[in-house]
Amino acid sequence: RVKIDSIVSSPDLCAWWTAAEFPALWFCFLVLSACLLFSVVFLMQQSKDSRSGFSTSGTPENEAAKEALNAVLDSTNDEEGVEVADMVIGDTPVDKSVSNEGSRSTITETSFYREQKARIEAEAQAQDKDQRLQVAHTQLIEYASQQARDAAQMKEQGEVVLKEATDANSVKLLDMIQQHEIEASAFHRQQCSDLEKSKQAAVEATPKAAQEKMTESEQNGQNGSDDASLISEAPTLSEDYLERAKYIPLRLSLNDRRLLRLLEAALNVSEYTDRVDIISYRSKHHRINQQLRDMCSILCGLVVAQNYKKGKDLIEGKEFKDNSEFFQDVFEIGRRHKILNPEKMRTEYGKLLYMLMDSQLAEVQNLLEFKCVRSLRTVHSLLSEKGAEGVLKDDLIATATEEIKAGKRRRYEIQNDIRMKEKAREMLASKYSSRLISKDEILNCLYSIGDNNSYLLYNRDPIDKMIALLQKYFSPTEYESSFSLAIVGGVDGARLSHSHQRQYTFVLQSLTLWREISHDMYKLWYLAEQDILADKNRYTLADTGQGLNRIQRAPSVYKAISGIISRCQKRIGSWVGSSVVHLGDHNVPNALMFIDKYTQVPRILAPIVLVIEAVPDLCQEPALSSYFENAFGGVENVVKTILADFFRHAFDGSGADNFFDAGSCIDGRLTSAWNWCSKIEKKTYYPVFKLAGFAGFDGEGF
């Protein structure tokens, strides 16, 4: 050190390099560096062993226990990680005196968790494959049926054309046609027989307990005044107010809206599904119970913040079960508000319904000690309870609840209709009011029915207009070459191959189906909540390709949709494509997802209809009229270009890479329509949409 100081302090720095002692100093530096490097490597290895759960001291059982514990902690959520914080802090175990018995218990618990997780995943995959096989078999039968019908028609036409022909080639051709018809019919019968055999084998292989559970669930689906059969038997055009009123929720009162604001605030801050719908080895029932109690606590706290006196009366000296009626009222108000306003509570409603779904579990009710669910308050339930059902049978109810359309009518005509509507309401309220039911309650029922008529105007009428446009601008038998609806698989993204006539029928039946679903949406929503909130209709949490979802059977909704499809088939006379309904699988996991899918139909069709209706008004501008003439060949060609592209490629089976997720099935038609919407910006007529005020298909397009 003295030598270095003397060299560094020397004015001639070059002397440091030429000093005789330089080799000895350099050797000292090398030895010191080697020592430091060894120490660093040793510390790094110690740190690595610590993170891996190993220690220089301890038995092999302890090492395995720590590995298993780390594996469990890595796979659990943050909340569960807090519960084991007393065992592990950071990466270093706190208690190093873990016994062999505790280690084995930890390993056993971890193994059980992993086995349960693997079992659930395997069951979900097996169920999905079984459903895919059933759908594929059903689609094959429908294809065979179509081929048999086509062969029969070909035989009839061949016999007419070749009836008088006597040459050998004509006779041979007729024999080939007849043989093809025989083979097609035989193939169809064979597939139907195979399907029946597979169903019988599945029933025999199903345990008796599972069969009894399925039978009981189906019976629950048939309850409620045979809701599903009512949908299929009710006439399409005649509106039976007595029947509709059973599914029309009551409009919210002022006090109801105060409670609704409390519920929306509580659901907005809730993380219910994030805490409950996770894969974990811990008890799910305790997590559900804790989250439900937290929700009730938040609601009580918000009541106190809004009105201290009412809040004090609500919570002072009481348990949650003592306020069960209050919680039932709050949750029922939220459900009612969502049905009346489908565009509201887009995220909150899912949390609410899943929370109520879990509260119906017997294990959760034992912990919670009260029920959170009660039946919806509908127009029919109130009037029947108060003995005023005559309101629904009165001839004035149509006038009192009709939706007044303005359109291009004169103002005095609209005002006259409004006065007639108000007078009819007052007459009904005065006629049927009594000591059991007040005029205000009757008026509230009439307003609720009017809300349903308003819903139909904005959700069903766009579909009716689209059907009218299809029939106005296109014909099933004749078409212009530039506006043909024919599609070919593999061309322009299409996955189906249809002639013009076949595609016309396919589009017409799809729109008719959507129209019937929108018309009965309140009924379907009522049945959907009935299926979701059924006591014994349990669900399975599985990965559907879009995250973890609750897969649950929906027997009431399925039966109702089957009735609607049958009604559409009878009305149209023929059916093109598959009639498979995805419900309770990875495409549509439960009834809530089904309702959410079909509430999107008006959001797709309404903007298109508004654009079509706006085109004639846009042509009043000379510049726009010249643009339409130069770019499309006239106003009518603009409309035909938009409609032809929509009818072709919104119903071409696109939107997925297989026929199970998309194609010609009931839900695949809607998938193709959404796929068309996602590509609207690339269309040549997109500037026409922008000129008409289009902004999107999310419900706020205009």
Side-chain angles (χ1 to χ4, degrees), residues 434-543:
S434 63
R435 63 182 183 86
L436 296 177
I437 185 170
S438 64
K439 291 179 62 177
D440 291 338
E441 289 177 316
I442 294 177
L443 288 174
N444 191 34
C445 292
L446 296 177
Y447 290 142
S448 301
I449 298 175
D451 292 340
N452 178 244
N453 289 332
S454 178
Y455 171 84
L456 294 177
L457 174 66
Y458 290 101
N459 292 270
R460 184 195 62 189
D461 286 11
I463 308 176
D464 289 334
K465 292 180 179 179
M466 188 62 72
I467 294 175
L469 291 172
L470 173 66
Q471 296 172 341
K472 177 181 178 181
Y473 289 100
F474 301 93
S475 171
T477 57
E478 299 177 357
Y479 59 90
E480 303 176 37
S481 59
S482 56
F483 298 113
S484 172
L485 301 183
I487 56 176
V488 179
V491 178
D492 295 331
R495 300 186 67 250
L496 301 175
S497 296
H498 288 165
S499 63
H500 172 85
Q501 181 178 1
R502 191 175 180 85
Q503 181 69 3
Y504 179 93
T505 305
F506 184 68
V507 174
L508 179 61
Q509 71 185 19
S510 301
L511 293 174
T512 304
L513 176 65
W514 292 352
R515 191 261 180 203
E516 294 302 312
I517 291 176
S518 296
H519 178 76
D520 291 332
M521 181 55 70
Y522 276 25
K523 294 182 180 180
L524 292 172
W525 209 315
Y526 184 90
L527 296 175
E529 287 200 348
Q530 204 174 60
D531 285 335
I532 292 172
L533 302 180
D535 294 342
K536 299 181 180 180
N537 191 12
R538 292 179 174 267
Y539 65 88
T540 301
L541 189 66
D543 187 359

Side-chain angles (χ1 to χ4, degrees), residues 645-674:
D645 185 73
F646 177 73
F647 293 146
R648 280 197 299 261
H649 297 296
F651 302 90
D652 61 359
S654 60
D657 58 354
N658 60 80
F659 283 101
F660 185 79
D661 298 331
S664 62
C665 63
I666 301 302
D667 300 283
R669 306 166 194 237
L670 190 55
T671 303
S672 301
W674 271 119

